[in-house]
Amino acid sequence: MPRANPESAFEVAVRHLFRHVRDVDALRRNPLVHTFFANTLEVQDGAVLREIHDRILGESATLCNKPKEPALQARRRHAIIVALCAGESVPDTIVRLGLSRRHYYRERHAISTDVSRAIMQTTPKAVTGVELGDPLRLLITRAEGLVDQGFANKAATLLEEAWSCAPDGGTKSALRFELAAALVAGGHTDRAADLLMKAVVSPVEPKAEYVDDCLRDRQVLAEATLAMEIGRDGEARCTLEQLAKRQLFDDRADETALDTILRCGDWYCGCARLPEARRMLDHARRLYRRLVRPSVRLQIGISLLSANCAEDASNEFSLERHWLKEALTLSISSGSAERALDAISSLIFFYVSVGCDDEAYAYAKYGLAIAKTTEGSRLLEMMGVQIAVMLVRTRHWRSVDTLLFEVEKFALPKSFRWGLLKQAQGSFLTRAGRYRDAQSPLLQAYEIARSVKNRKLEGIVLRERAGRAAPYRLDNRKHRLDERCRRNSRGAPERLYVMGDVRGSSARIARSPDPSPGSRSEERAVATQ
C-alpha cells in the first residue's frame, strides 16, 4: 500500500499500521500512533518504536486473555501480532501456524482492528508546548485569530492596548510587530511603517529580555512578513529563508517553526522554485506529525502548499483540486476568512489552467463577496488582484475592467502584488487592442519583478511584452468578428466591482470594443514594427 493515506479512514490507518509496524517514517504518518513521536528527536526513534511494539503486544495480550475468547483462537491471533512485531514474513507465519492464506488475513484483520481501537481509547500523554499561565501567547493567538477571521481592526485595538501597557523589553518588541501586522491587515500601512521604524532590534540583545526562543523567532517571522507587505520583498524573503533553514537545523518542533516553513515554501512556489518548495513541504509534513494538537490553520497551509507544489508534476496534478477543496472546507468550518480566500484564489488558478472559465468566474464572485465582508483592505486587495490576474486570461476578461483600476487604490506601490496588478492591466489593455497603452503598466511590472527577484513574474511580463500583438497580428478583423458573435450569443459578462457599480473609474478602459478607423491604423502600425 505505497500510496495509502492513513489519515483518510480508520480501516486504512489499521492496515497501514500493521503493514508498516517496523517502519519508523511510516509510523510517524499514522494517526493511531503518531503521538508517540511528539517532542522527540530522530535519535530516539528506536526507543519510540520499542514503546509502540510494547503497547501493541500489551493490548493484544489483554484482548486475547479475556474469558469469553476461545483459547485456540486467542493464542493464534496473539501469535500473529507477535510475528508482525518481530518482522517475520507472512508465508513463514502461515506455515508455522498451519493456516490458509485467507484464514490468516481474516484473523489478522480481526485482532488488528481490536488492538487499534484499544490504542485509540488511551493515548500517551505528551507535552503541548504551551502553558496555561502564558498570557502573552494567549493574547497573540487571540489577535491572530481575529485577523484570520477578517476582524483586523478589532485585533489592532486589542494589541494596541496591551502594547501601551507593556514594559520595555522583548515583550513590548514582540507586541509591536504583532500590532504592525494587524495594522497592515487593516490597511493602515503608514502607521505600521512608523512602528517598524521605531523598532530597534539589536542582534546582540540579551536572550533574557525575550520570553523564549519561540517568541523571538515569531518576532523575526512577523518582521519579515510585514516587510513583504509594505514592499521590502527582497531583504524580507532572505530573512524568511534564513529563519526557516535555521529552524530546520535546530530541529525545532513548534507551530512557529511550521508556520515559517510553510511561508518559505509559498515564497518558493511564487518564484517558480518548485524543487525547493517540495523539500519545504516534506519538512512541513514531518514537523506536522510531531506536533500533538496543531491548529487547523497549519493543516490548511499544508494542503495549500501541496496543491501549489503540484503545478508542474503530472502525477500529482489530479490531486490538486482535492487538496484545494479540502483547504476550502477546513477554512469555512474553522471560520478562517484569510485561508478561505487563499483556497478560493488557488481554485480560480486551477480552473483557469484546465480551461473551466465558468467555474473560475463563479469562484471569483464568491471570493470577492467574502472579501467585502472583512475589515480593512488587505484581504480585499489580495483577492481583487488575484481575480484580475486570473480572469484576464479567460473569456470573461471584460468583467474585470472596473476591478483592475479600483483595486489599485488599495495596493501599495512598488510591492509584489502591485506588480501583479500592473501585469494584469497590461494584459487587459493588450487584449483590448490598446497596445501602446499596455506598455507602461507592463514596464512597471517588469521593474517590480526585477526588484523583488521574482523570475516567474519577470518571465510572464517579458512574454506579454514580446507577444503583445501576436494574437491580433494575422487576422484582426476575424478575431473581432468572432468575439462580437460570441458576446451577442452569450450576453456580456457581469462586471466585478470592489466598491459597487462605479462607472467613473472604468471610463478610461471600458471603451467600445468595436474597431474604429483610428484603432485600425494603430494596429497596422504595431503590426509593421
Side-chain angles (χ1 to χ4, degrees):
M1 199 180 299
R3 293 187 64 84
N5 180 13
E7 299 179 355
S8 60
F10 173 74
E11 292 293 335
V12 179
V14 172
R15 293 195 297 269
H16 181 272
L17 170 62
F18 287 93
R19 176 166 291 191
H20 305 282
V21 72
R22 296 177 60 83
D23 187 352
V24 175
D25 293 333
L27 292 178
R28 285 184 181 274
R29 299 192 296 114
N30 194 289
L32 298 174
V33 294
H34 76 96
T35 54
F36 286 87
F37 295 93
N39 300 322
T40 60
L41 303 176
E42 293 185 1
V43 295
Q44 301 171 325
D45 287 346
V48 175
L49 187 61
R50 288 192 296 271
E51 184 182 356
I52 293 175
H53 288 176
D54 293 342
R55 178 67 181 279
I56 292 174
L57 294 173
E59 296 292 349
S60 175
T62 302
L63 292 170
C64 294
N65 288 333
K66 289 183 178 180
K68 296 182 180 180
E69 294 289 335
L72 179 59
Q73 186 183 60
R75 288 197 299 270
R76 187 165 54 230
R77 290 182 175 181
H78 185 64
I80 290 175
I81 296 298
V82 172
L84 288 173
C85 293
E88 186 179 18
S89 64
V90 173
D92 292 344
T93 306
I94 291 175
V95 171
R96 180 169 57 83
L97 297 179
L99 303 174
S100 66
R101 189 176 185 87
R102 182 176 298 179
H103 191 188
Y104 167 81
Y105 278 106
R106 186 167 60 247
E107 296 288 355
R108 172 174 163 175
H109 174 73
I111 186 61
S112 61
T113 302
D114 293 339
V115 169
S116 299
R117 293 190 186 278
I119 291 176
M120 286 182 63
Q121 292 176 0
T122 54
T123 55
K125 295 182 180 180
V127 181
T128 61
V130 178
E131 299 179 0
L132 293 177
D134 191 347
L136 180 59
R137 289 191 189 180
L138 177 61
L139 175 66
I140 292 176
T141 305
R142 285 180 60 197
E144 261 195 351
L146 288 172
V147 172
D148 197 40
Q149 294 169 12
F151 301 105
N153 294 336
K154 293 183 177 62
T157 303
L158 181 67
L159 289 169
E160 192 165 10
E161 293 177 358
W163 176 69
S164 60
C165 302
D168 295 334
T171 301
K172 194 176 185 69
S173 180
L175 286 174
R176 177 187 290 111
F177 283 100
E178 296 295 335
L179 174 58
L183 290 173
V184 168
H188 309 290
T189 54
D190 294 336
R191 291 187 59 195
D194 292 340
L195 281 175
L196 291 178
M197 291 298 294
K198 295 176 182 177
V200 180
V201 182
S202 173
V204 296
E205 189 173 357
K207 185 178 178 180
E209 294 192 12
Y210 291 97
V211 177
D212 56 12
D213 291 337
C214 180
L215 190 58
R216 179 171 56 183
D217 290 345
R218 188 181 184 85
Q219 177 175 328
V220 177
L221 175 62
E223 183 180 5
T225 306
L226 284 173
M228 284 188 284
E229 290 290 343
I230 63 176
R232 297 181 357 222
D233 296 70
E235 55 181 296
R237 299 191 177 195
C238 292
T239 303
L240 181 64
E241 187 176 15
Q242 292 173 2
L243 177 62
K245 291 181 178 179
R246 180 172 62 81
Q247 288 177 336
L248 288 173
F249 180 79
D250 295 340
D251 199 20
R252 296 284 302 276
D254 52 56
E255 293 195 357
T256 302
L258 181 54
D259 194 12
T260 305
I261 292 171
L262 290 175
R263 290 177 185 270
C264 189
D266 289 334
W267 170 52
Y268 285 146
C269 288
C271 297
R273 297 165 61 179
L274 294 176
E276 297 170 86
R278 290 195 187 93
R279 285 196 291 270
M280 286 295 172
L281 177 60
D282 293 338
H283 290 308
R285 284 172 172 166
R286 284 196 292 267
L287 181 55
Y288 181 82
R289 297 183 204 112
R290 293 175 60 184
L291 299 178
V292 181
R293 288 180 178 85
S295 63
V296 181
R297 178 176 59 86
L298 298 175
Q299 184 180 355
I300 298 170
I302 290 179
S303 298
L304 291 174
L305 183 56
S306 302
N308 293 333
C309 289
E311 183 177 339
D312 69 337
S314 58
N315 59 339
E316 295 182 7
F317 187 73
S318 59
L319 296 175
E320 184 176 357
R321 180 176 175 272
H322 165 72
W323 284 319
L324 293 176
K325 288 283 189 179
E326 177 184 89
L328 181 58
T329 303
L330 290 172
S331 303
I332 294 175
S333 62
S334 61
S336 173
E338 183 175 3
R339 292 295 180 176
L341 293 177
D342 288 337
I344 289 172
S345 62
S346 297
L347 278 169
I348 295 172
F349 175 78
F350 171 78
Y351 282 121
V352 170
S353 301
V354 298
C356 299
D357 294 354
D358 293 336
E359 287 81 356
Y361 181 72
Y363 271 106
K365 293 176 62 178
Y366 179 42
L368 196 59
I370 294 176
K372 288 179 180 179
T373 62
T374 61
E375 293 181 353
S377 61
R378 187 176 68 90
L379 294 180
L380 188 60
E381 174 219 345
M382 178 192 72
M383 199 64 207
V385 170
Q386 294 295 333
I387 289 173
V389 170
M390 291 297 106
L391 289 192
V392 78
R393 296 162 50 187
T394 68
R395 65 183 181 88
H396 300 291
W397 61 278
R398 289 186 180 85
S399 63
V400 299
D401 58 353
T402 303
L403 181 68
L404 272 170
F405 296 94
E406 280 189 339
V407 77
E408 189 175 359
K409 301 175 183 177
F410 304 112
L412 186 68
K414 308 304 180 182
S415 63
F416 176 65
R417 280 201 292 267
W418 193 77
L420 287 176
L421 182 61
K422 288 298 176 182
Q423 180 264 325
Q425 290 176 357
S427 299
F428 183 89
L429 291 167
T430 299
R431 196 161 185 178
R434 300 171 57 186
Y435 309 119
R436 292 181 181 176
D437 295 340
Q439 294 313 298
S440 176
L442 287 177
L443 182 59
Q444 296 178 59
Y446 180 71
E447 292 175 353
I448 293 297
R450 292 287 301 272
S451 64
V452 301
K453 299 179 181 179
N454 191 307
R455 293 190 175 183
K456 182 178 181 179
L457 178 59
E458 186 178 344
I460 292 173
V461 176
L462 285 176
R463 183 185 62 190
E464 291 283 347
R465 297 189 66 194
R468 60 187 182 272
Y472 309 92
R473 186 172 293 167
L474 297 178
D475 197 352
N476 288 318
R477 188 172 302 173
K478 181 179 181 299
H479 174 79
R480 284 192 293 269
L481 180 61
D482 293 342
E483 285 287 329
R484 194 180 305 117
C485 292
R486 284 196 295 268
R487 186 169 64 255
N488 293 336
S489 62
R490 291 191 308 262
E494 179 186 353
R495 286 175 178 168
L496 301 178
Y497 300 94
V498 173
M499 299 176 294
D501 192 356
V502 182
R503 304 286 179 174
S505 59
S506 61
R508 46 179 170 169
I509 183 64
R511 297 179 180 176
S512 174
D514 296 328
S516 60
S519 63
R520 288 197 183 99
S521 61
E522 182 179 343
E523 290 171 2
R524 285 195 297 268
V526 173
T528 56
Q529 290 180 357

